[in-house]
Amino acid sequence: MSTRVWVPRDAGALALGAEATARRLRAEARATGADIELRRNGSRGLYWLEPLVEVEGAAGRIAYGPVTEREVPDLLAAGMLQGAAHPLRIGPIEQHPWLATQQRLTFSRVGRIDPLDLGAWRAEGGGRGLARALELGPEATVNEVVESGLRGRGGAAFPTGIKWQTVQRQPPGQRYIACNADEGDSGTYSDRMLMEGDPFALIEGMAIAGIAVGATRGFVYLRVEYPHAFEVLGAAIAAARAAGLLGADLLGSGRSFDIELRLGAGAYICGEETSMLESLEGRRGEVRVRPPLPAEKGLFGAPTVVNNVITLATVPGILAGGAAAYREFGQARSRGTLPLQLAGNIRRGGLVERAFGLTVRELLEVYGGGSASGRPIRAVQIGGPLGAYLPASQFDTPLEYESLAAIGAMLGHGGVVAFDDTVDMLEMARYAMEFCAHESCGKCTPCRVGSVRGAEALDRIGRGEDRDRQIALVEELCDTMLQASLCGLGGMAPYPVLSAMKHFPEDFRRRGAGH
Amino acid sequence: MSGANAPAGPVDESRILAIVERHRHRDGPLLEILHEVQGALGCVPAAAVPVIARALNLSRAEVHGVVTFYHHFRSAPPGRRVLRLCRAESCQAAGSRALERHLTGRLGIGLGETTADGRITLEAVYCLGLCACSPAAMLDQEVHGRLTPDRLDALLDAGAKVKA
């Protein structure tokens, strides 16, 4: 009987050599007459151990990692296929403390199944949420989402159920579900992992949203930087159609819903919802003035639900298990779980899905294991390039919406980027302005011009020219951008700049001769 | 995806019109069309703009405006290989600024430029979603994480041998 061996095909694992590992495993098994069945999964998100190879046996799945191509012959000789000891043996992966202490609801299947195996997906609870939504009907389905307390995981944290209700109550006519898969924030990769590791969860979530608000068509707007996700999600949509999970007669209910996968073209601003709608319509991704809200007048002028990948992929579990069970997780107005993503200069980077409330320090130390360089962590940026920088004195802040807002920070899409004490915060502040200038859609002046002037002023501060006046100028520019920008790009780019200046003033005063 | 043999001057109009026809039924088809044109020709040549505009009943300015808005679309074919280095925060925290200096020094070109022999185009990218294995880059369609100057050199050298 053949031994089943799992090697991830997640882009992060591929970036660390998983494809070569898989090829070598196949070749060496053939050469040594070992009978293996090589299967591909998503990543479990323990990236410091990727490529993580798992051998399925009577005692569950035994992991080895990181397994580069070079290690394969030695591992096979040591008896990896029988789960034997080896310096790279991690042990039963589900019992690994890094995973066992997590609360994986949205990511329950990611890394465990072949992403395109519908049978395995069903066996692990896939499809139950959609079946329940069809049973409940639109009103009760929306109520479940409202009751669950789910807030948008893309960054804005707007209550998902309320958004759905708004669309549901529009006058009859065409409606759309638009999935925002333009995950452009540095330090975030949960959308990518989910689309590559459990694409049917997203498809099911979109179908539920379609039933709930009466939309028969959905779009996924996926960033062009994610070719692997494009391939997996495209294949999953085709498979779902063939299996009746999409199409004219959803699971035999007579209801219809289908999804079209669209590619972005390398514009960060298209992660902003109205800019994304413009882009989906084939235009420049310039933001729209609100109101009207997309829920009233969105894609092609029709009422549209715009939700992030993780938000939509969380919905099936809420429907299947009930809103009350989901609400049990989390605290205050942050209910459920959040897939946090550890990135940057971190020893154990990866995906940590837990109920809201873990502190920054717990995340960095217990899960992250400190910096990769071994030096002290001096700053973290939370929530992408528009998120604030936190100094070590704020690391006891809980990772939930209100606690972060109280210190002028934001959770965003849940990315946490660690920097050690070699970071130059003036350079990071300048980069924030440079990035905003690079990605500005140009529609409003505070963002288009303010970001360029901000970068220039920070350059002068770096050279020690007219420093106090330039610092005052940056503060003034930031205030204008905060108050007067049309969307979150110009409106939030000041957060990393101002937080860097506030918490790390020494970095802005140490260079050059001027005062 | 290689654009090495892409035409520099006039374009094959019928080829572009065939691509337009394949996507015409879609709602808001322009980005899909531009993606396929770039996939076929290695870029969206300026000469393709009026052809697409006419076929979709748009103005040339509208199509040109879309092509130039998006960083992904290029108006000239790239080198035989395209190396996209991530410049975003997570990769900076893990040493991408040093990688950028190493690459521009070794290749003698800046970001957004192509070597004189047409062998390689160096581009900036802002996040590949590989932030747990920063610093990251993409060589053509292949992703690479935890890069060091030595590993980058090895990748470029291996590529050079294959192509030689």
Side-chain angles (χ1 to χ4, degrees):
Chain A
M1 201 184 109
S2 64
T3 307
R4 189 176 282 178
V5 181
W6 295 87
V7 180
R9 197 153 45 196
D10 168 276
L14 296 179
L16 299 170
E19 200 55 50
T21 300
R23 265 200 311 269
R24 191 72 181 267
L25 262 168
R26 237 184 238 119
E28 292 288 328
R30 204 176 300 126
T32 57
D35 186 12
I36 66 165
E37 179 199 350
L38 188 66
R39 298 294 298 270
R40 306 305 291 270
N41 51 343
S43 172
R44 292 186 189 256
L46 294 73
Y47 280 104
W48 76 100
L49 295 176
E50 293 287 1
L52 185 77
V53 174
E54 297 174 30
V55 178
E56 204 169 312
R61 279 154 73 159
I62 307 296
Y64 295 80
V67 181
T68 59
E69 171 203 10
R70 276 196 314 273
E71 314 278 0
V72 169
D74 189 48
L75 276 161
L76 286 174
M80 176 181 81
L81 296 179
Q82 291 76 46
H86 187 277
L88 296 180
R89 187 179 188 274
I90 308 297
I93 188 65
E94 310 254 343
Q95 290 162 35
H96 192 290
W98 209 85
L99 262 181
T101 54
Q102 295 194 30
Q103 291 151 320
R104 290 206 166 178
L105 305 182
T106 308
F107 277 74
S108 65
R109 288 180 295 260
V110 175
R112 297 178 52 232
I113 62 168
D114 175 339
L116 294 174
D117 182 347
L118 269 168
W121 174 74
R122 279 198 196 94
E124 298 283 338
R128 281 184 212 157
L130 178 57
R132 176 132 187 276
L134 287 166
E135 204 179 287
L136 289 175
E139 295 283 337
T141 297
V142 172
N143 284 340
E144 280 290 292
V145 178
V146 172
E147 287 300 311
S148 73
L150 178 67
R151 293 167 69 178
R153 300 289 190 246
F158 188 83
T160 306
I162 305 296
K163 190 184 278 185
W164 290 20
Q165 242 163 24
T166 310
V167 175
Q168 195 183 50
R169 290 172 184 170
Q170 296 305 307
Q174 178 73 58
R175 288 132 192 227
Y176 295 103
I177 308 299
C179 170
N180 188 339
D182 195 46
E183 180 175 56
D185 288 355
S186 176
T188 67
Y189 45 84
S190 58
D191 292 355
R192 179 188 63 67
M193 278 183 70
L194 189 114
M195 290 184 285
E196 291 173 2
D198 189 13
F200 294 126
L202 172 59
I203 293 169
E204 185 182 3
M206 289 181 71
I208 294 170
I211 288 160
V213 306
T216 53
R217 291 184 66 192
F219 288 85
V220 178
Y221 185 82
L222 176 67
R223 62 200 302 258
V224 71
E225 292 86 350
Y226 283 0
H228 303 88
F230 181 76
E231 200 183 304
V232 177
L233 189 55
I237 289 170
R241 225 173 258 147
L245 277 169
L246 289 176
D249 184 18
L250 284 190
L251 300 179
S253 65
R255 305 288 306 264
S256 99
F257 185 76
D258 213 331
I259 296 175
E260 194 174 330
L261 178 56
R262 292 285 183 94
L263 263 188
Y268 176 75
I269 189 61
C270 292
E272 194 281 334
E273 61 176 4
T274 64
S275 162
M276 181 188 90
L277 296 175
E278 287 290 306
S279 188
L280 273 173
E281 293 181 15
R283 285 195 289 275
R284 293 162 66 88
E286 289 180 7
V287 302
R288 295 179 184 170
V289 180
R290 277 170 296 199
L293 295 168
E296 299 155 341
K297 210 167 178 289
L299 191 59
F300 305 111
T304 304
V305 167
V306 184
N307 279 148
N308 164 260
V309 173
I310 298 298
T311 312
L312 288 163
T314 298
V315 164
I318 291 172
L319 266 298
Y326 189 75
R327 276 191 76 83
E328 288 290 304
F329 295 90
Q331 54 189 51
R333 292 184 54 223
S334 302
R335 313 307 306 195
T337 60
L338 180 73
L340 293 155
Q341 302 126 82
L342 265 168
N345 192 331
I346 196 83
R347 197 152 74 88
R348 295 193 296 258
L351 184 113
V352 179
E353 182 180 354
R354 296 241 336 198
F356 287 92
L358 194 71
T359 67
V360 178
R361 191 182 308 283
E362 286 167 328
L363 181 68
L364 292 174
E365 291 175 2
V366 178
Y367 289 98
S371 72
S373 60
R375 304 180 66 95
I377 295 179
R378 184 171 180 230
V380 297
Q381 186 179 30
I382 303 179
L386 309 175
Y389 284 100
L390 273 62
S393 61
Q394 293 182 330
F395 287 179
D396 290 315
T397 311
L399 288 155
E400 56 107 36
Y401 301 120
E402 273 70 33
S403 303
L404 282 164
I407 59 163
M410 62 149 188
L411 194 44
H413 187 44
V416 177
V417 179
F419 294 80
D420 74 9
D421 62 353
T422 61
V423 66
D424 180 338
M425 295 307 294
L426 169 60
E427 272 185 6
M428 300 319 298
R430 192 212 179 273
Y431 171 81
M433 284 293 190
E434 180 194 343
F435 182 72
C436 181
H438 187 260
E439 299 295 336
S440 176
C441 81
K443 187 154 179 162
C444 72
T445 314
C447 172
R448 185 185 65 244
V449 179
S451 55
V452 175
R453 295 285 287 120
E456 287 166 3
L458 286 160
D459 278 340
R460 287 196 198 98
I461 294 169
R463 291 194 299 266
E465 288 171 26
D466 196 16
R467 186 179 283 147
D468 290 343
R469 274 189 49 203
Q470 296 302 323
I471 286 178
L473 174 64
V474 171
E475 285 169 349
E476 209 175 297
L477 277 168
C478 282
D479 187 53
T480 305
M481 290 171 74
L482 281 166
Q483 308 293 332
S485 298
L486 266 183
C487 83
L489 179 57
M492 301 202 307
Y495 289 138
V497 178
L498 293 172
S499 57
M501 289 168 71
K502 179 177 173 193
H503 300 301
F504 307 93
E506 61 277 19
D507 288 22
F508 294 78
R509 298 208 164 262
R510 69 167 161 238
R511 274 176 288 199
H515 294 284
Chain B
M1 284 285 288
S2 172
N5 304 315
V11 291
D12 181 349
E13 234 179 83
S14 62
R15 200 168 168 200
I16 288 172
L17 288 174
I19 291 171
V20 173
E21 283 314 310
R22 264 202 293 286
H23 295 280
R24 187 191 284 286
H25 68 283
R26 294 175 187 261
D27 293 317
L30 183 53
L31 258 74
E32 295 293 303
I33 290 167
L34 296 176
H35 273 299
E36 197 173 331
V37 168
Q38 180 153 306
L41 306 179
C43 66
V44 182
V49 169
V51 181
I52 297 168
R54 248 192 331 271
L56 292 180
N57 201 21
L58 295 171
S59 73
R60 286 169 70 163
E62 280 172 291
V63 178
H64 176 77
V66 171
V67 174
T68 52
F69 181 85
Y70 294 95
H71 302 303
H72 179 73
F73 296 128
R74 35 171 131 251
S75 54
R80 286 191 290 281
R81 307 203 81 184
V82 178
L83 179 64
R84 290 191 276 173
L85 182 69
C86 180
R87 288 192 76 218
E89 288 90 341
S90 175
C91 287
Q92 288 186 42
S96 67
R97 284 176 189 244
L99 283 183
E100 188 179 324
R101 282 191 297 271
H102 175 79
L103 269 177
T104 51
R106 177 190 151 132
L107 298 172
I109 52 171
L111 294 171
E113 295 176 2
T114 302
T115 53
D117 61 3
R119 196 168 66 80
I120 192 147
T121 296
L122 185 58
E123 285 182 349
V125 65
Y126 295 88
C127 199
L128 295 165
L130 305 171
C131 322
C133 24
S134 290
M138 206 161 173
L139 184 55
D140 299 327
Q141 290 292 295
E142 217 170 80
V143 285
H144 298 276
R146 283 191 210 128
L147 284 167
T148 59
D150 286 349
R151 282 204 53 214
L152 260 180
D153 283 347
L155 280 176
L156 292 177
D157 292 343
K161 271 176 216 141
V162 172
K163 298 279 165 181

